[in-house]
Amino acid sequence: AGSYGFQAQPMGFPGGYVVPPVQNQPTMDGTIWMPIPPSIPHCPPGLEYLTQIDKILIHQRLELLEIVTDFEVSNKYELKNALGQRVYFAAEDTDCLTRNCCGPSRPFTMRIMDNVGREVITLHRPLRCSTGCWPCCLQELEVQAPPGTTVGYVVQNWHPCLPKFTIQDEKEMDILTITGPCFVSRCCEDINFEVLSMDETCAIGRISKQWTGFVQEAFTDTDNFGVSFPMDLDVKMKAVMIGACFLIVSLSF
């Protein structure tokens, strides 16, 4: 993976001084946030959380209006660590007409905020062809961290039967590849997209759509997803993998 291989991340300030993390405190709705990590040199602000985790769980929030009326509302997600502590909160920024006319092929901006309300990651998906059957106008997603600073891209690759994507750095150099199953609709089991090295010989991580049960699968479009990556993977590539998960969510589920 070149310079985006497994890099140890420093855990404090030069000279050994470490800012004590904020202790866990539940919010008014009972949510427990992950403690705020100390600032890290050369790490995009807000991505310090990602240096401490090797997995992030993405839960789509149920919207009563959408369940009752099938009216497409702006999607919202909670991003949690393996302990169930909220790391980020994501909200889709689209207008009502776009959501209900374009459906899953709609362009969107996804804003990902940390536990002090600071926008730390922004995802931009432009309007593209809604099918991957032809090798033109394929999907692309830009990842910015912080907003305004591009750290990478997720690009859909044409393949006759498999969903495939490439993760690129900010210079559009290919870093990792993602391969999904031929059929993304399965009953009673998780659906996995493998994150591999470019030659597809080394497993780097996984993006999974988790089975949520018959009732939720049948009557709502809310889903749970997981993104796993090496602890020492560069935080920028971790952020791009999170972006890849949101692109896969919008296309396949």
Side-chain angles (χ1 to χ4, degrees):
S3 62
Y4 289 96
F6 308 149
Q7 303 171 358
Q9 302 287 346
M11 297 302 294
F13 288 103
Y17 176 71
V18 177
V19 177
V22 175
Q23 298 299 315
N24 292 345
Q25 293 184 2
T27 59
M28 294 188 66
D29 61 359
T31 300
I32 297 179
W33 288 90
M34 181 177 173
I36 301 175
S39 297
I40 298 174
H42 310 301
C43 177
L47 298 193
E48 296 92 350
Y49 296 93
L50 299 182
T51 65
Q52 302 181 0
I53 58 178
D54 60 1
K55 178 185 294 183
I56 198 156
L57 307 175
I58 302 176
H59 304 286
Q60 185 176 356
R61 295 183 60 169
L62 281 167
E63 299 292 343
L64 183 60
L65 176 64
E66 190 168 348
I67 296 172
V68 174
T69 66
D70 202 32
F71 182 84
E72 188 72 23
V73 299
S74 179
N75 290 323
K76 298 179 178 64
Y77 302 86
E78 290 180 300
L79 285 71
K80 299 182 178 180
N81 62 17
L83 299 177
Q85 299 166 328
R86 187 192 287 177
V87 184
Y88 299 119
F89 180 82
E92 177 186 359
D93 185 1
T94 54
D95 60 78
C96 178
L97 183 63
T98 299
R99 288 195 303 271
N100 289 278
C101 291
C102 298
S105 64
R106 65 181 179 262
F108 63 74
T109 296
M110 188 74 68
R111 305 190 187 279
I112 301 178
M113 293 155 283
D114 66 5
N115 59 12
V116 295
R118 173 180 54 174
E119 184 176 345
V120 296
I121 303 173
T122 305
L123 311 177
H124 291 295
R125 177 192 174 190
L127 180 63
R128 294 289 179 87
C129 179
S130 61
T131 177
C133 296
W134 304 103
C136 62
C137 295
L138 297 177
Q139 300 294 327
E140 181 178 307
L141 182 133
E142 178 186 2
V143 181
Q144 298 178 355
T149 302
T150 301
V151 296
Y153 300 88
V154 185
V155 180
Q156 185 182 23
N157 306 129
W158 184 83
H159 192 277
C161 57
L162 295 177
K164 301 195 74 170
F165 304 86
T166 297
I167 287 178
Q168 300 177 333
D169 65 11
E170 69 275 13
K171 298 179 181 178
E172 301 186 58
M173 297 291 293
D174 295 346
I175 304 298
L176 300 170
T177 185
I178 302 174
T179 301
C182 186
F183 299 102
V184 295
S185 180
R186 299 178 183 177
C187 184
C188 302
E189 63 180 271
D190 294 350
I191 301 169
N192 298 317
F193 289 73
E194 304 297 335
V195 182
L196 309 167
S197 58
M198 285 307 302
D199 59 6
E200 301 190 9
T201 61
C202 179
I204 305 299
R206 175 177 290 176
I207 297 172
S208 301
K209 191 268 185 184
Q210 300 166 350
W211 173 254
T212 54
F214 285 105
V215 173
Q216 187 161 323
E217 294 281 346
F219 295 103
T220 74
D221 63 357
T222 57
D223 293 304
N224 294 326
F225 297 86
V227 184
S228 59
F229 30 64
M231 183 75 76
D232 56 356
L233 185 67
D234 185 88
V235 290
K236 295 179 182 178
M237 291 299 101
K238 290 184 180 183
V240 179
M241 284 182 62
I242 293 172
C245 180
F246 280 105
L247 181 59
I248 290 170
V249 167
S250 63
L251 290 175
S252 302
F253 305 106

